[in-house]
Amino acid sequence: MKTRFLKSAGAAFALALLSSTAYAANPAEVQSGAYTVETTHTQIGFSVLHFGFTYYSGQFSGVTGALQLDTAHPEASHLNVTIPVSSISTTSTVLTGELKNSEWFDVAKYPDATFVSTQVRRTGTDEALVTGNLTLHGVTHPEVLHVHFVGAGVNPMDKAYTVGFQAEATIHRSDFGVKKYVPYVGDDVTLTIAGAFEKTAAK
């Protein structure tokens, strides 16, 4: 009896959350305006070919920044984010430490990476190409994000209007002066980005 009650209560709670979210699956229905990165649910994963045997992965966290979103005119949208390079993590504590040193990312000298968009081009109903300048390891280079709109609505937990995107890009680490072990450890680095943004309250 108790188990059935808990299951029923859980289902009712989940239904209440979903109904209060006012979820938007169509980008045209998303609210335009100023957004800030929702740091705790924004992640940047990376993957690189390791000696031709496996793809080795890790991630960056603690991303901050802002999005100016114009759903009526996507090309007028603008993104500016900062990634703390010292947040890099892998499944190996030894490797994580090595990646932070001067032979790799040199986080003491270059603690942050930034991405500032220069162009947004819609390529489908929920797809866009976002071109921008990526600054990493003291070097700035143009890169392109392939962005997919995931969804938007009021977060039932913190009541903030939130919009989310998934993005991918491939960069060449040697473009940024991070050349150690190339080509044995791949030059091509695939980035997978889960980006959450909360709408800024109007003043």
Side-chain angles (χ1 to χ4, degrees):
M1 185 71 168
K2 183 178 180 181
T3 301
R4 287 200 300 271
F5 172 77
L6 290 175
K7 287 182 177 179
S8 298
F13 178 67
L15 183 61
L17 289 181
L18 288 172
S19 63
S20 66
T21 300
Y23 178 77
N26 184 344
E29 299 173 356
V30 178
Q31 296 178 16
S32 295
Y35 289 77
T36 57
V37 173
E38 203 277 90
T39 301
T40 57
H41 292 99
T42 295
Q43 298 174 312
I44 300 178
F46 66 86
S47 178
V48 61
L49 185 61
H50 185 255
F51 287 91
F53 303 137
T54 58
Y55 285 93
Y56 196 84
S57 301
Q59 73 172 24
F60 298 94
S61 56
V63 181
T64 58
L67 169 67
Q68 187 64 41
L69 184 62
D70 188 332
T71 55
H73 306 92
E75 67 280 0
S77 300
H78 185 262
L79 175 67
N80 186 334
V81 295
T82 297
I83 306 101
V85 181
S86 59
S87 70
I88 192 169
S89 64
T90 71
T91 53
S92 166
T93 55
V94 173
L95 178 59
T96 297
E98 289 179 357
L99 291 174
K100 295 179 181 182
N101 71 27
S102 59
E103 292 185 312
W104 290 89
F105 289 106
D106 198 358
V107 300
K109 187 174 182 180
Y110 307 108
D112 296 321
T114 60
F115 180 83
V116 181
S117 68
T118 56
Q119 182 186 60
V120 177
R121 181 167 66 87
R122 185 174 176 180
T123 57
T125 302
D126 52 7
E127 310 287 335
L129 294 178
V130 178
T131 302
N133 291 320
L134 175 63
T135 300
L136 173 67
H137 198 244
V139 178
T140 300
H141 197 273
E143 301 292 350
V144 179
L145 302 180
H146 298 256
V147 179
H148 171 73
F149 166 73
V150 177
V154 176
N155 185 322
M157 302 302 290
D158 63 10
K159 308 305 180 184
Y161 187 85
T162 304
V163 60
F165 302 91
Q166 190 77 6
E168 291 188 355
T170 299
I171 67 173
H172 305 299
R173 61 189 179 94
S174 61
D175 287 344
F176 301 91
V178 184
K179 302 178 181 180
K180 190 172 178 66
Y181 295 144
V182 171
Y184 307 107
V185 176
D187 191 19
D188 291 356
V189 181
T190 300
L191 302 177
T192 304
I193 304 159
F197 301 84
E198 291 187 340
K199 199 165 191 287
T200 304
K203 295 181 180 180

